[in-house]
Amino acid sequence: MPLKQKSLGRLISFEGSEGSGKSTQISRLAAHFQKAKREVVTVREPGGTELGEQIRNIIVHNSKGDEMCAETELLLFAAARAQLVREVIAPALIAGKIVLSDRYLDSSTVYQGIARNLAADPVAQINHFAIGNVMPNLTVVIDVPTEVSLKRLKQRASDLPDRMERENVDFYKKVREGYLVLAKGMPERFIVVDGTKSADAIEKKIWAEVKARLV
Ligand code: TYD
């Protein structure tokens, strides 16, 4: 299918709790764009650059990270993001590519701001300092009830849960609610899809929305 505005780069971020099915939907959306002859770059946060993967290791996997305070966590996520934007995302957008990001600034707003209770203003300022002016054109929230998300997480975990995954149910409820509130406040940037539907149904809904809004 021919797409309008072929030369425009587009950034689409995917957000949601653990086990919401982001990665499946990212690869399906990438396939749609590739079929439409668009070049696609997929990235994940934290990570996506050599430096970012090292930071990811400190935040997510390092057992010493158990003592990490919320402020440090926010700054480390922001540091990884700043690198990813300048090294990968911005150049890809300038080259007219489609960038699909598994998490982006809204993860910090929700996990560090809302769930870890850091004040909203500094979180927003740090987020914007990290990304410069590279805002997503569209953000897809895959919404699943917290119980479903935790059940999927347990089934998936072949090894010990990582530091973020050891959080309690209340934390994940705040994450879910946080995304829904954000999305409601910015309907022009966000779409929310029901993550309990079949992968095929979710894929169809996302592609329809993307076509209507971006291409
Ligand atoms: P990851 O294994 O990538 O989880 P997922 O598959 O759910 O994306 O780990 C990323 C973890 O880091 C996840 O628990 C969400 C969290 N996170 C934040 O708390 N703040 C952020 O800014 C980002 C990007 C991620």
Side-chain angles (χ1 to χ4, degrees):
M1 172 192 326
L3 298 183
K4 287 175 257 158
Q5 300 176 322
K6 252 190 170 356
S7 60
L8 283 184
R10 299 289 194 193
L11 171 60
I12 304 176
S13 58
F14 279 72
E15 298 282 354
S17 305
E18 278 72 3
S20 57
K22 289 182 275 97
S23 44
T24 304
Q25 293 304 327
I26 287 172
S27 44
R28 289 181 180 213
L29 183 58
H32 279 291
F33 275 116
Q34 279 152 355
K35 243 169 102 184
K37 302 272 178 278
R38 292 296 301 257
E39 259 191 88
V40 182
V41 173
T42 58
V43 294
R44 71 162 181 181
E45 273 215 33
T49 63
E50 210 180 311
L51 195 60
E53 290 296 330
Q54 287 183 31
I55 296 173
R56 176 190 182 86
N57 229 7
I58 300 173
I59 312 172
V60 182
H61 296 301
N62 189 347
S63 59
K64 294 235 166 56
D66 280 334
E67 293 121 48
M68 191 184 298
C69 61
E71 289 80 357
T72 305
E73 191 181 270
L74 171 70
L75 291 165
L76 286 174
F77 278 119
R81 183 168 307 129
Q83 191 66 27
L84 182 66
V85 167
R86 285 152 189 86
E87 203 176 307
V88 182
I89 298 179
L93 293 174
I94 288 166
K97 295 178 188 171
I98 302 290
V99 181
L100 305 182
S101 183
D102 188 340
R103 300 191 178 282
Y104 198 53
L105 81 161
D106 303 301
S107 280
S108 288
T109 306
V110 168
Y111 281 78
Q112 280 65 55
I114 296 169
R116 292 239 195 271
N117 235 346
L118 289 178
D121 279 357
V123 172
Q125 277 173 23
I126 289 165
N127 261 341
H128 286 282
F129 180 66
I131 65 170
N133 59 0
V134 184
M135 278 297 283
N137 298 99
L138 180 71
T139 298
V140 180
V141 173
I142 306 185
D143 177 54
V144 284
T146 305
E147 298 69 30
V148 175
S149 148
L150 291 176
K151 211 166 134 199
R152 288 184 187 170
L153 199 61
K154 272 196 196 124
Q155 282 164 355
R156 184 175 77 177
S158 50
D159 40 24
L160 288 173
D162 68 37
R163 201 175 64 82
M164 300 304 289
E165 291 169 358
R166 288 195 290 274
E167 284 299 335
N168 58 32
V169 179
D170 280 352
F171 180 86
Y172 287 112
K173 288 211 158 114
K174 283 190 199 159
V175 167
R176 183 191 184 199
E177 284 310 310
Y179 278 126
L180 295 178
V181 169
L182 269 194
K184 211 167 167 197
M186 288 178 273
E188 64 295 340
R189 173 159 75 86
F190 278 87
I191 59 167
V192 178
V193 296
D194 178 353
T196 63
K197 294 260 160 58
S198 72
D200 287 352
I202 298 171
E203 171 190 345
K204 231 170 133 183
K205 162 102 175 141
I206 294 175
W207 182 232
E209 289 277 357
V210 165
K211 275 193 300 183
R213 287 169 181 245
L214 289 191
V215 294

